[in-house]
Amino acid sequence: MTESTGFKQILINLGYDPVEGFGEGRKIAILAALAALLLVTACIAVVMGAYDITITDVYRTILVHLTFGDVAALPKLHNTIIWDIRVPRIILAISVGGALAIAGAVFQGVFRNPLVEPYILGVSSGAAFGAALGIVFPAVFFSIQISAFIFGALAVTLAYILARVRGETPIITLILAGVIIGSIFAALVSLLKYIANDTALREIVFWLMGGFYYATWNDVLLLTPAVIVSFAVLWGLGWKLNILSMGDEEARTLGVNPEKYKFVVIAFATAITAFAVSLVGIIAWVGLMMPHAARMILGPDNRFVIPASLMMGGCYLIVCDTLARTLTTAEIPVGILTSILGAPYLCYLLRHKGRVIFG
Amino acid sequence: MLHVQDIHFKYGDFPVLSGVSFSVGEGELCGLFGPNGSGKTTLFKCCLRFLRAEKGTVRICGEDISAHSIEQLARFIAYVPQEHKPPFPYLVREVVLMGRTPHLGGFFGVKRRDKEIAMDALAALDITEFADRPYNQLSGGQRQMVLMARAIAQDTPILFLDEPTSALDFQNQMRIWRIMRDVAEDGKTLLACSHDPNHVAWFCDRVVVVGEGAIVAEGEPKDVISEGVLEMIYRDACAVRTLKGVQMVMPRCVAERCGAQEILIPVGENVTGRMRADVDAES
């Protein structure tokens, strides 16, 4: 009883207090269901893999780790496969999927356009260039990840500066600046591909397709806290994001400084996108599709869309990555799968829900 | 309540406003009237601080607006834009709840009280039945009503309305003007842009006429909406008549076509007008 009232109090503090005609109970229930779905998907995915391990063995291994039990007593092979390969890989998939989906929701809101994806300001091209530099000149750029992150962030910063006129950053110029910066970096990537030797070229191509092959606990420890913090901030700004999506002038008269909040949300969304991309390469579609799917289920209120995007993005990438590593004996780059599964989904949206969603 | 003093504004080198001053008293519904390109919208934007006037001050409730942040300003000015379609299908109640944003605090800040105020605003305009419908699927008139409800939920002493009736049919236009009258009766101050001299004459307490970046006339509608003033801004397009004491602005050609009829009397010439009509009728 006390627990349920405590939970209710939390909901009230979060602003989900029900008022006649203003019920949001259904949406809260859906969010809870999505969280459960994410957990279940993760639990199923951890059992699947190229090397056959029984379900009991899998969960016993995880349980021992979670309860700080005697790890040394476990079979070494099981321990390595489960705890050092599959678990971090799944957590990384959730973090990356969540990060890209939240960033997508935020960008779509700020740019007032439901067809925008997180890569719109050139972060992917910048990161690709950074990664390619790291691959072609390993002596100069000692870490592919750091180089990708720096150039990804640099691309967005350049686009933002380029778009800024008289203290304002109008959406149209920002998008155009993103396109310009993106194409410059894309050209530079092509240049690097041209001068790269065969091994480096192959590595660049693989990087561009994205994948979780090298997922380690280190990556998880880097990315996951950043995603959690950004998620909390952006979720907290969910209502302001609704106001921003009404346009700059209206936002001003509703007491939301558009320049200030646009900068804050773009900065956070870009940071997690660049971070995710620098760790796993370019994974397409998640950032475009998942916010859409969330909006179809929950409506456009970003207080609900942002958490739903996080969970749905996480689920989607777990599913895609599990398929990527189990469908064939060799691994398929996950970016290919997200695109192949994603394109039909968007076709469906366009044909059936186009009028509702695209106005 | 609202004091605009000596506003100057240029777009580049092109002067739009040169020395505009006027004021609106508390509880008044004031019409801002003028032809296209006269600087109405620019004046509006200067008052709302979308644009920064290069000279002059705007004072609301005795306070200079340039001294306030966007967050503070939104607590005493509400703005009703022309109806538009946002890219996302927000529900009507969510759009109205957005009006509460300047009063929110906390994590999301949306409190029970704010939702109640939003629902009350919908009830006040008698559009509660739209509450659960997507805002961008409503008709133009319905969307304008929702934006009015949002401004009422924002609960500010002064409301700015940018051509609130320009895209609506006659019935909806009258509905919006009646709502504006009701809001003014509640003691709020309203400043509404309009292109229709009749609307301004029928519903406003006070009219400010803008032409070519300056105030042409200011005062009560019966004095301001006169042939003399309209001649200044529209040249000879209009005639003003009264119909049983109600002012009517009509195209001059129409007024001339039925000028002989008894009921149409030029303003300010009631006696002679009637007499001439009588004479015309007899002859």
Side-chain angles (χ1 to χ4, degrees):
Chain A
M1 184 63 203
T2 41
E3 196 167 276
S4 82
T5 41
F7 179 65
K8 211 172 161 200
Q9 192 56 45
I10 291 172
L11 287 181
I12 288 170
N13 289 343
L14 282 175
Y16 292 131
D17 197 5
V19 164
E20 174 89 44
F22 229 118
E24 282 163 342
R26 191 185 66 91
K27 294 182 176 183
I28 296 163
I30 292 174
L31 283 187
L34 284 174
L37 180 69
L38 180 62
L39 197 66
V40 171
T41 317
C43 289
I44 295 172
V46 79
V47 180
M48 315 218 328
Y51 188 90
D52 240 344
I53 305 174
T54 60
I55 296 175
T56 40
D57 281 345
V58 169
Y59 290 128
R60 201 175 59 218
T61 312
I62 293 173
L63 200 68
V64 168
H65 276 279
L66 289 183
T67 52
F68 300 103
D70 184 11
V71 177
L74 293 165
K76 209 161 173 19
L77 185 63
H78 285 192
N79 190 35
T80 309
I81 291 176
I82 305 293
W83 191 252
D84 292 336
I85 298 178
R86 285 190 198 166
V87 173
R89 190 168 173 154
I90 284 166
I91 297 177
L92 193 66
I94 296 173
S95 306
V96 170
L100 293 176
I102 301 169
V106 167
F107 276 112
Q108 289 174 3
V110 173
F111 289 103
R112 314 185 56 210
N113 185 333
L115 287 178
V116 161
E117 59 167 351
Y119 303 146
I120 184 105
L121 293 180
V123 62
S124 56
S125 320
F129 176 67
L133 273 181
I135 293 165
V136 177
F137 306 110
V140 189
F141 301 91
F142 57 96
S143 155
I144 296 173
Q145 271 96 6
I146 292 174
S147 164
F149 179 77
I150 289 173
F151 279 93
L154 178 73
V156 178
T157 315
L158 285 177
Y160 196 84
I161 293 169
L162 189 62
R164 201 157 173 85
V165 276
R166 277 181 260 114
E168 286 180 22
T169 35
I171 296 305
I172 285 290
T173 49
L174 200 49
I175 290 178
L176 283 176
V179 170
I180 295 166
I181 298 291
S183 70
I184 292 172
F185 278 109
L188 291 175
V189 171
S190 299
L191 182 71
L192 284 176
K193 279 187 190 163
Y194 184 69
I195 63 168
N197 63 35
D198 278 359
T199 347
L201 181 61
R202 199 178 153 71
E203 208 177 327
I204 294 174
V205 170
F206 263 98
W207 191 91
L208 289 177
M209 286 187 289
F212 297 97
Y213 339 93
Y214 311 120
T216 62
W217 276 110
N218 262 346
D219 298 335
V220 172
L221 291 177
L222 276 174
L223 182 64
T224 309
V227 172
I228 291 172
V229 169
S230 301
F231 167 68
V233 171
L234 294 171
W235 193 23
L237 291 173
W239 183 255
K240 298 231 162 62
L241 200 54
N242 290 350
I243 308 284
L244 281 180
S245 74
M246 299 298 278
D248 282 5
E249 290 196 349
E250 273 185 76
R252 275 171 158 271
T253 53
L254 291 170
V256 174
N257 186 337
E259 290 309 320
K260 182 166 120 192
Y261 285 104
K262 259 196 288 192
F263 178 80
V264 171
V265 296
I266 289 177
F268 273 98
T270 303
I272 48 174
T273 311
F275 218 163
V277 169
S278 68
L279 289 179
V280 300
I282 297 169
I283 295 176
W285 289 94
V286 182
L288 177 64
M289 265 167 44
M290 288 304 126
H292 259 294
R295 243 178 250 123
M296 274 174 66
I297 303 173
L298 288 159
D301 187 342
N302 284 302
R303 291 180 299 151
F304 298 100
V305 168
I306 289 179
S309 296
L310 175 87
M311 291 180 264
M312 291 167 79
C315 276
Y316 185 66
L317 266 198
I318 295 176
V319 171
C320 285
D321 183 51
T322 308
L323 290 175
R325 62 192 169 87
T326 53
L327 272 185
T328 56
T329 42
E331 254 190 51
I332 308 169
V334 74
I336 295 177
L337 279 178
T338 56
S339 301
I340 288 176
L341 292 177
Y345 171 79
L346 204 74
C347 284
Y348 160 77
L349 271 190
L350 202 63
R351 303 295 300 182
H352 294 270
K353 303 272 185 171
R355 290 247 313 282
V356 181
I357 291 173
F358 306 117
Chain B
M1 193 66 195
L2 169 68
H3 294 281
V4 176
Q5 196 141 43
D6 198 30
I7 290 278
H8 288 258
F9 185 83
K10 279 189 196 135
Y11 278 118
D13 281 338
F14 182 74
V16 185
L17 300 174
S18 32
V20 171
S21 308
F22 67 93
S23 51
V24 184
E26 195 173 341
E28 279 184 341
L29 170 51
C30 177
L32 194 62
F33 175 70
N36 291 122
S38 60
K40 277 193 318 280
T41 310
T42 309
L43 179 56
F44 232 69
K45 288 186 173 174
C46 286
C47 292
L48 289 162
R49 240 183 55 185
F50 294 164
L51 298 172
R52 237 170 232 290
E54 61 191 57
K55 201 180 148 207
T57 52
V58 178
R59 301 173 78 80
I60 291 173
C61 306
E63 297 186 59
D64 191 337
I65 61 160
S66 61
H68 288 278
S69 69
I70 286 171
E71 287 82 359
Q72 291 166 329
L73 221 50
R75 284 190 207 128
F76 49 98
I77 311 178
Y79 169 62
V80 181
Q82 285 189 46
E83 58 93 6
H84 59 83
K85 277 190 176 185
F88 300 109
Y90 290 111
L91 300 182
V92 165
R93 54 181 183 169
E94 289 164 351
V95 173
V96 176
L97 189 60
M98 287 181 190
R100 296 301 300 163
T101 309
H103 306 279
L104 304 179
F107 190 59
F108 294 127
V110 182
K111 293 271 161 6
R112 182 186 190 89
R113 175 107 192 88
D114 298 304
K115 292 182 185 175
E116 284 166 356
I117 290 173
M119 294 310 281
D120 289 347
L122 282 171
L125 299 196
D126 201 20
I127 49 171
T128 311
E129 76 260 36
F130 300 153
D132 285 322
R133 288 183 47 194
Y135 167 78
N136 61 2
Q137 288 172 32
L138 299 177
S139 74
Q142 291 166 337
R143 282 204 296 272
Q144 191 72 58
M145 301 281 282
V146 173
L147 292 176
M148 290 285 294
R150 188 180 74 183
I152 289 169
Q154 199 171 338
D155 194 24
T156 54
I158 187 160
L159 283 81
F160 280 65
L161 302 100
D162 189 6
E163 294 180 21
T165 58
S166 60
L168 308 185
D169 69 29
F170 191 76
Q171 186 197 2
N172 277 321
Q173 287 180 339
M174 294 308 116
R175 213 170 153 194
I176 294 286
W177 278 108
R178 271 210 311 278
I179 291 165
M180 288 197 273
R181 276 258 46 108
D182 290 346
V183 174
E185 304 304 325
D186 287 344
K188 305 211 168 176
T189 309
L190 291 90
L191 181 68
C193 277
S194 178
H195 272 298
D196 193 321
N198 278 324
H199 292 177
V200 185
W202 297 334
F203 296 102
C204 292
D205 297 310
R206 205 182 148 70
V207 182
V208 176
V209 182
V210 188
E212 293 183 357
I215 302 287
V216 174
E218 188 188 352
E220 286 190 30
K222 68 174 165 44
D223 303 324
V224 171
I225 303 297
S226 67
E227 287 196 357
V229 171
L230 292 175
E231 226 155 73
M232 273 194 273
I233 56 173
Y234 292 142
R235 271 189 264 148
D236 51 1
C238 302
V240 182
R241 299 286 185 271
T242 55
L243 167 55
K244 306 217 161 139
V246 179
Q247 249 165 303
M248 293 285 288
V249 178
M250 59 184 67
R252 182 153 287 175
C253 55
V254 173
E256 276 165 6
R257 200 163 64 210
C258 45
Q261 285 173 19
E262 186 190 7
I263 51 166
L264 294 167
I265 300 147
V267 170
E269 301 168 44
N270 285 10
V271 184
T272 51
R274 187 176 297 275
M275 275 165 62
R276 193 170 64 223
D278 291 345
V279 172
D280 286 348
E282 275 166 27
S283 59

